[in-house]
């Protein structure tokens, strides 16, 4: 086979790898057929591209946002601790199906060599992780909104609280929780998992919903109103400090981040949950009121931000 054919084969394989973070408390965990527990569920996994708000927000495109977890089931977030999620292309490849009998170290339940990547696919089935190698994986995030009603969650009250650089890569991922996370209201909080892959396949994004609870909370200071992050790879002093919004990118409406040109490695800039957009690895400890975000808010020109982000006069999106 020619080098070109090989390259496009690998590229095509990249493009069909779709992943989501599976946990207790997630929406759509049993699938989208009422009363059916689909152990081979991949309903929350599909990527979101050029969709309207109601279709991308909490994966409304196939109704995932209408399938909350069973009563009392939550993703638990221990303040000052960490929790794990299983990133996989199907529930079958996680411990949530078949008692974990079909899991492997990887998100597709298959065996892959160490250092698995597009540059090292010993099994030529090619990479399912959208990355050249682990160090190039874009990063993923969890965000929280202090409301139990998913229909009340919007860009202005959903705050990124945990980031893991160099994911998705292997199946099990640990996310750190800020020690100062306050407790959730009665009925819990609503969380989201977010991922924008970098330059492998279609420029799309991923979003999934969870009912979540903060355990072991000691602080009562609320999270601050988040700001849209900006590209700051070349100058970290330009990064937005404090609470940040989730990133909406390449959708038909409501996009809140923009990037142009090439990044420092010569590839097209792609917004990611990493230093390039000002996200630290691990717990986002600066997201609380009076923890630095207030000061920054004054420094951002409101008129400019609102135009760029397409906010209405009341601050709501659209
Ligand atoms: C999902 O399926 C499990 C196992 O059948 C069941 O216990 C649980 O209540 C179901 N969840 C929902 C939200 O229906
Ligand atoms: C990962 O891939 C990038 C892009 O091809 C390359 O520049 C980098 O050296 C690789 N890193 C490792 C550890 O192989
Ligand atoms: C909660 O706090 C207690 C007391 O500090 C500690 O022993 C326990 O490990 C914590 N639990 C979690 C889930 O972090």
């Amino acid at each position: 086979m020619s080098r070109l054919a090989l390259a496009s084969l690998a590229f095509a394989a990249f493009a069909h790898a779709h992943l989501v973070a599976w946990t207790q408390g997630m929406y759509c965990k049993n699938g989208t057929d009422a009363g059916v527990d689909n152990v081979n569920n991949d309903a929350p996994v599909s990527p979101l591209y050029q969709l309207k708000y109601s279709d991308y927000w909490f994966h409304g495109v196939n109704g995932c946002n209408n399938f909350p977890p069973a009563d009392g089931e939550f993703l638990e977030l221990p303040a000052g601790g960490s929790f794990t999620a299983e990133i996989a292309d199907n529930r079958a490849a996680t411990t949530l199906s078949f008692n974990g009998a079909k899991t492997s170290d990887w998100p597709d339940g298959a065996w892959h060599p160490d250092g698995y990547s597009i540059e090292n696919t010993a099994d030529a089935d090619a990479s399912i992780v959208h990355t050249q190698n682990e160090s190039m994986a874009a990063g993923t995030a969890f965000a929280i909104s202090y409301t139990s009603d998913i229909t009340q969650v919007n860009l202005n009250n959903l705050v990124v609280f945990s980031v893991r650089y160099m994911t998705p890569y292997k199946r099990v991922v640990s996310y750190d929780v800020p020690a100062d996370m306050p407790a959730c209201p009665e009925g819990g909080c609503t969380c989201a998992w977010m991922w924008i892959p970098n330059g492998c396949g279609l420029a799309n994004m991923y979003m999934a919903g969870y009912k979540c609870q903060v355990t072991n909370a000691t602080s009562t200071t609320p999270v601050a109103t988040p700001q849209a992050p900006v590209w700051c790879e070349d100058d970290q002093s330009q990064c937005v400090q404090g609470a940040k919004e989730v990133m909406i990118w390449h959708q038909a409406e409501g996009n809140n981040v923009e990037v142009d040109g090439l990044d420092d490695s010569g590839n097209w800039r792609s917004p990611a949950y990493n230093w390039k957009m000002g996200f630290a690895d691990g717990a986002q400890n600066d997201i609380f009121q009076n923890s630095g975000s207030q000061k920054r808010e004054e420094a951002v020109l409101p008129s400019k931000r609102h135009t760029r982000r397409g906010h209405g006069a009341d601050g709501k999106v659209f």
Side-chain angles (χ1 to χ4, degrees), residues 22-318:
W22 300 85
T23 71
Q24 291 296 334
M26 81 189 285
Y27 278 72
C28 203
K29 186 173 64 167
N30 288 3
T32 51
D33 290 318
V36 176
D37 181 17
N38 180 3
V39 293
N40 294 304
N41 177 24
D42 66 359
V45 159
S46 57
L48 307 164
Y49 181 65
Q50 292 298 348
L51 298 177
K52 56 188 187 10
Y53 179 80
S54 58
D55 282 341
Y56 64 74
W57 196 244
F58 288 110
H59 218 276
V61 65
N62 61 350
C64 269
N65 51 335
N66 295 322
F67 288 86
D71 274 355
E73 185 190 319
F74 292 98
L75 167 62
E76 294 207 341
L77 315 172
S82 59
F83 65 97
T84 58
E86 296 175 75
I87 295 184
D89 62 355
N90 191 299
R91 205 185 94 188
T94 75
T95 57
L96 299 172
S97 288
F98 311 109
N99 291 318
K102 300 195 176 184
T103 61
S104 75
D105 285 351
W106 300 94
D108 61 351
W111 179 87
H112 298 288
D114 275 349
Y116 177 52
S117 75
I118 190 169
E119 286 151 4
N120 176 25
T121 48
D123 59 352
D125 202 11
S127 180
I128 39 83
V129 289
H130 288 251
T131 187
Q132 289 92 333
N133 52 47
E134 184 169 14
S135 61
M136 291 289 285
T140 59
F142 271 91
I144 191 166
S145 181
Y146 275 78
T147 173
S148 58
D149 180 356
I150 195 169
T151 68
Q152 297 301 307
V153 181
N154 59 47
L155 263 190
N156 297 316
N157 61 25
L158 184 61
V159 174
V160 174
F161 71 89
S162 190
V163 165
R164 188 50 77 213
Y165 284 7
M166 297 189 284
T167 62
Y169 192 64
K170 289 195 171 178
R171 174 176 55 91
V172 178
V173 177
S174 173
Y175 292 93
D176 303 326
V177 182
D180 289 343
M181 291 271 279
C184 292
E186 187 77 27
C189 291
T190 305
C191 285
W193 179 79
M194 307 295 300
W195 171 39
I196 298 178
N198 183 5
C200 292
L202 208 55
N204 47 30
M205 68 169 208
Y206 291 74
M207 180 174 198
Y210 308 76
K211 277 198 182 289
C212 53
Q213 241 347 334
V214 177
T215 59
N216 267 15
T218 53
S219 173
T220 54
T221 305
V223 294
T225 301
Q227 313 286 312
V230 298
W231 185 269
C232 57
E233 181 185 26
D234 307 310
D235 182 357
Q236 295 281 302
S237 74
Q238 294 304 303
C239 296
V240 170
Q241 307 296 315
K244 284 183 272 304
E245 296 174 358
V246 302
M247 298 188 285
I248 306 302
W249 197 56
H250 280 200
Q251 301 307 312
E253 56 189 10
N255 296 309
N256 67 343
V257 289
E258 256 173 43
V259 296
D260 313 284
L262 303 180
D263 67 15
D264 286 353
S265 61
N267 298 305
W268 290 107
R269 287 181 179 179
S270 178
Y273 293 93
N274 64 31
W275 68 95
K276 295 177 189 176
M277 296 298 290
F279 290 99
D281 192 23
Q284 309 294 294
N285 291 315
D286 60 353
I287 60 175
F288 306 99
Q289 290 178 15
N290 309 316
S291 65
S293 49
Q294 304 300 86
K295 203 173 75 205
R296 180 70 191 190
E297 237 165 294
E298 285 159 26
V300 176
L301 289 174
S303 56
K304 191 170 172 223
R305 295 189 65 246
H306 282 212
T307 314
R308 195 181 73 233
R309 295 162 62 197
H311 277 199
D314 62 355
K316 281 221 173 92
V317 189
F318 329 125

